[in-house]
């Protein structure tokens, strides 16, 4: 077992080195700012997501403040656990050293995981809970111990509290277990106890959803209108094929479950993956949702490749090389291990006529927030100190509000007022005589205030397009009573 341990540790070290180089670069992503902002208002649920990420954010903040590198390390540690669990799954299903090495290499070579395990988002933890759930499923199917059913229920419950998409896994796994183990499962009281434990865990969030008129459906509807309606099932497939070599090997792992005798007892897992894939494809889901199913496929792929290459060992090394070598060049696209200047040269990006560089959306969303906060702070500090208690800050979207909330701590800025997403639940605060607004357009401001003065139009060469050329105003003499109108905005929080 010692040689397996050394292999796994070596793979973990490689992953940590890459993240050590990239986690502290650029700046917070807008989504990270949202997740850290809600962690200051712990609740049983939020408009955009379940509460798990907020509690992790609170814990991370208590330990490290708002240090970019260490906040992101929590997602990285989730990625490390995924790597370890994948290797352990490979070992548990009967894989030997080469199988364990290859399954670990597949996790490292799957480029989207570097991005997923960089940002402080529910995505990394979603992938962790899927992998953990598959791990306990493997153990149950192998050893038939009811303890693993209970742990499976706990894992699925935690996963539901992190990201609702795991509901597809719950339904698919239930159907697969019933189809493949009908009598044993349906007559096993621990199967129902496991489900009951999961239900008790998620009940506070379900109650919160009920009390807030199920914003998860409103969020999904707005997501569908703004993004999913423009996508097709073909787009979902293209996202999987964006990493062609790892996809092919993962597909081989899926097929092997049904055809290699020694692992046919795990066909419930194969059926689950197929059902999840078909569900996501038909629902026109975002491609990265399915990435959570890859680690278990990598485990079976490692086992299958080791098994069929026993007499042709050179073929094993060919597969490993094809998986790893093409990925190395693209690592800077997945995680910011290069400075922004070096990345621009690496991608050969030229500025547009306004001097803005068109970065990928995730990278662009890491720039401009600090400068926005500095601009707002300079305006806020321009008011006499005695008057500042009557000056508020109003932001148009959760990115700007998150920046004021998180980065504004260093400048002692007041909490922003924002009606976007979960920020609506924090309320409008006490009314102020004047407000500094960022991102709000003139027609909105004129509805809310009698007077406005444009201070500056914000521009940043690397920031995402929607955060460029945004106006910053000083506004006064409100036309409306914020506390009276605030409840009427609940249905418009995602507009």
């Amino acid at each position: 077992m010692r040689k397996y341990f050394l292999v796994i540790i070596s793979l973990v070290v490689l992953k940590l080195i890459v993240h050590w180089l990239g986690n502290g670069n650029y700046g917070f992503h807008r989504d990270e700012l949202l997740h850290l902002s809600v962690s200051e208002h712990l609740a049983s649920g939020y408009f955009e997501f379940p509460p798990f990420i907020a509690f992790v954010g609170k814990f991370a903040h208590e330990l490290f403040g708002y240090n970019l590198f260490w906040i992101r390390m929590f997602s990285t540690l989730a990625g490390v656990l995924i790597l370890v669990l994948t290797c352990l799954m490979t070992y548990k299903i009967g894989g030997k050293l080469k199988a364990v090495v290859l399954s670990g290499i597949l996790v490292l070579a799957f480029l989207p995981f570097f991005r997923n395990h960089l940002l402080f988002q529910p995505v990394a933890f979603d992938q962790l809970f899927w992998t953990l759930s598959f791990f306990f499923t493997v153990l149950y199917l192998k050893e038939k111990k009811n303890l693993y059913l209970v742990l499976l229920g706990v894992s699925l419950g935690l996963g539901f509290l992190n990201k609702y998409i795991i509901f597809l896994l719950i339904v698919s796994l239930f159907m697969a277990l019933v189809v493949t183990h009908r009598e044993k499962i349906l007559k096993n009281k621990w199967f129902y106890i496991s489900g009951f434990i999961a239900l008790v865990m998620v009940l506070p969030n379900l109650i919160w959803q009920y009390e807030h008129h199920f914003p998860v459906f409103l969020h999904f509807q707005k997501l569908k209108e703004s993004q999913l309606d423009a996508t097709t099932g073909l787009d979902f497939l293209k996202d999987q094929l964006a990493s062609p070599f790892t996809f092919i090997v993962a597909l081989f792992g899926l097929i092997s479950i049904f055809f290699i005798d020694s692992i046919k007892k795990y066909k419930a897992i194969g059926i689950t993956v197929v059902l999840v894939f078909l569900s996501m494809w038909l629902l026109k889901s975002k491609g990265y949702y399915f990435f959570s199913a890859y680690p278990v496929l990598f485990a079976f792929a490692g086992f299958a490749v080791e098994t069929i290459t026993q007499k042709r060992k050179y073929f094993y090394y060919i597969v490993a090389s094809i998986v790893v070598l093409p990925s190395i060049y693209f690592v800077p696209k997945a995680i910011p291990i290069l400075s922004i200047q070096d990345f621009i040269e690496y991608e050969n990006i030229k500025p547009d006529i306004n001097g803005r560089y068109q970065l990928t959306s995730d990278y662009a969303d890491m720039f401009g927030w600090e400068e926005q906060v500095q601009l707002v702070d300079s305006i806020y500090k321009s008011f006499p100190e005695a008057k500042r208690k009557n000056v508020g800050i109003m932001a148009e979207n959760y990115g700007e509000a998150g920046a004021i909330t998180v980065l504004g701590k260093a400048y002692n800025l007041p909490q922003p007022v924002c009606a976007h997403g979960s920020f609506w639940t924090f309320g409008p605060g006490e009314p102020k005589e004047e407000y500094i607004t960022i991102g709000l357009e003139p027609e909105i401001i004129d509805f809310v205030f009698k007077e406005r003065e444009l201070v500056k139009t914000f521009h940043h060469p690397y920031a995402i397009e929607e955060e460029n050329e945004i106006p910053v105003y000083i506004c006064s003499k409100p036309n409306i009573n914020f506390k009276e109108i605030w409840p009427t905005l609940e249905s418009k929080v995602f507009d």
Side-chain angles (χ1 to χ4, degrees):
M1 187 63 192
R2 184 169 176 236
K3 59 183 178 181
Y4 293 95
F5 177 77
L6 291 175
V7 163
I8 294 172
I9 290 297
S10 299
L11 293 169
V12 166
V13 169
L14 283 175
K15 183 171 180 65
L16 286 175
I17 288 173
V18 176
H19 282 279
W20 191 270
L21 295 172
N23 279 20
N25 288 340
Y26 304 174
F28 280 115
H29 187 281
R30 75 164 65 229
D31 290 351
E32 294 177 300
L33 294 170
L34 170 62
H35 301 141
L36 292 172
S37 295
V38 299
S39 73
E40 297 187 1
H41 304 265
L42 294 180
S44 298
Y46 301 95
F47 274 47
E48 300 90 344
F49 38 73
F52 183 84
I53 191 71
F55 282 84
V56 177
K58 183 68 172 179
F59 180 68
H61 178 246
E62 291 296 324
L63 290 179
F64 302 112
Y66 287 132
N67 181 284
L68 176 66
F69 177 87
W70 289 110
I71 290 291
R72 287 177 169 174
M73 264 322 247
F74 282 81
S75 296
T76 299
L77 290 176
V80 166
L81 288 174
I82 290 168
L83 172 59
V84 172
L85 286 169
T86 302
C87 292
L88 290 177
M89 267 193 288
T90 310
Y91 176 74
K92 286 295 183 179
I93 63 177
K96 297 188 170 45
L97 188 61
K98 286 184 178 179
V100 171
V101 171
L102 182 58
S103 64
I105 286 175
L106 285 164
V107 173
L108 288 177
F110 190 56
L111 291 172
F113 279 172
F114 283 114
R115 180 68 54 83
N116 299 155
H117 305 160
L118 164 76
L119 300 177
F120 184 70
Q121 296 177 325
V123 177
F125 303 103
D126 183 52
Q127 293 166 356
L128 172 61
F129 290 127
W130 280 61
T131 306
L132 189 61
S133 297
F134 278 124
F135 178 69
F136 289 135
T137 304
V138 164
L139 292 180
Y140 174 74
L141 295 175
K142 178 182 175 67
E143 301 178 21
K144 298 297 188 294
K145 292 181 179 178
N146 291 323
L147 171 64
Y148 298 128
L149 276 181
V150 175
L151 292 175
L152 174 61
V154 172
S155 177
L156 292 171
L158 287 171
F160 190 89
L161 291 173
N162 174 69
K163 200 168 175 67
Y164 295 124
I165 193 66
I166 204 170
F167 182 71
L168 291 181
L169 173 62
I170 295 171
V171 173
S172 299
L173 185 57
F174 171 80
M175 293 173 63
L177 287 173
V178 168
V179 167
T180 57
H181 297 75
R182 183 181 182 85
E183 294 298 322
K184 292 181 180 179
I185 282 292
L186 294 180
K187 291 183 178 180
N188 187 343
K189 67 177 181 180
W190 289 99
F191 178 69
Y192 302 99
I193 292 173
S194 173
F196 179 74
I197 290 171
L199 179 61
V200 170
M201 291 175 66
V202 305
L203 191 58
N205 178 248
L206 295 178
I207 293 172
W208 184 94
Q209 284 285 339
Y210 172 77
E211 292 175 343
H212 291 79
H213 313 111
F214 289 96
V216 61
F217 297 121
L218 176 62
H219 186 232
F220 179 77
Q221 179 60 32
K222 293 299 181 182
L223 183 67
K224 182 176 180 294
E225 292 172 1
S226 63
Q227 298 181 37
L228 299 183
D229 280 348
T231 65
T232 65
L234 185 60
D235 293 319
F236 179 77
L237 294 175
K238 286 179 179 177
D239 286 338
Q240 312 311 314
L241 293 170
S243 302
F245 300 115
T246 46
F247 175 75
I248 291 170
V249 178
L251 182 60
F252 180 67
L254 174 62
I255 294 170
S256 71
I257 298 174
F258 299 99
F259 291 98
I260 296 180
D261 290 338
S262 61
I263 55 175
K264 281 184 179 179
K265 60 186 165 198
Y266 303 109
K267 62 183 177 182
I269 291 175
I271 294 172
T272 299
V273 172
V274 171
L275 291 174
V276 167
F277 183 89
L278 292 174
S279 300
M280 291 185 177
W281 179 49
L282 293 172
L283 291 170
K284 297 191 293 186
S285 300
K286 294 181 179 180
Y288 75 84
Y289 290 172
F290 188 69
F291 295 168
S292 298
Y294 276 74
V296 69
L297 298 182
F298 291 158
F300 282 99
F303 174 88
V305 171
E306 181 186 60
T307 299
I308 67 171
T309 59
Q310 289 180 352
K311 295 181 179 179
R312 296 180 178 86
K313 299 187 186 307
Y314 66 89
F315 188 69
Y316 171 90
Y317 297 104
I318 291 174
V319 172
S321 300
I322 290 175
V323 165
V324 172
L325 295 179
S327 301
I328 295 173
Y329 175 79
F330 296 102
V331 169
K333 284 188 173 187
I335 184 170
I337 59 174
L338 301 178
S339 68
I340 188 58
Q341 293 79 15
D342 289 341
F343 181 76
I344 287 171
E345 290 183 15
Y346 161 83
E347 284 283 84
N348 193 29
I349 303 173
K350 304 298 181 184
D352 61 21
I353 57 174
N354 296 315
R356 179 173 169 265
Y357 293 84
Q358 300 276 352
L359 303 178
T360 60
S361 60
D362 271 349
Y363 280 0
D365 244 338
M366 299 180 196
F367 287 97
W369 306 115
E370 187 72 43
E371 290 79 4
Q372 283 188 17
V373 173
Q374 290 172 353
L375 173 58
V376 171
D377 177 65
S378 67
I379 299 170
Y380 184 72
K381 296 296 195 306
S382 70
F383 287 90
E385 188 171 353
K387 193 177 179 181
R388 290 176 197 164
K389 64 181 180 180
N390 287 315
V391 177
I393 300 172
M394 190 173 291
E396 191 271 337
N397 62 53
Y398 72 80
E400 296 150 3
I404 299 296
T405 300
V406 174
L407 305 178
K409 290 281 191 296
Y411 302 87
N412 295 314
L413 290 174
Q415 287 291 303
V417 176
C418 180
H420 190 204
S422 289
F423 276 93
W424 174 84
T425 63
F426 309 153
E430 293 302 315
K432 306 294 182 182
E433 294 177 0
E434 296 182 86
Y435 286 85
I436 302 165
T437 70
I438 180 165
L440 273 74
E441 297 300 327
E443 55 270 21
I444 301 295
I445 292 174
D446 290 340
F447 173 76
V448 178
F449 299 98
K450 289 186 175 70
E451 296 181 1
R452 61 179 166 91
E453 175 191 350
L454 179 64
V455 180
K456 189 172 182 178
T457 300
F458 180 81
H459 174 82
H460 194 286
Y462 306 135
I464 199 165
E465 184 175 2
E466 68 180 82
E467 294 300 330
N468 262 290
E469 312 306 324
I470 61 171
V472 181
Y473 289 93
I474 294 177
C475 305
S476 58
K477 299 181 180 178
N479 288 318
I480 59 177
N481 184 312
F482 290 125
K483 289 194 174 182
E484 287 182 3
I485 200 174
W486 206 255
T488 69
L489 301 177
E490 182 176 5
S491 63
K492 300 178 176 63
V493 295
F494 295 120
D495 289 350

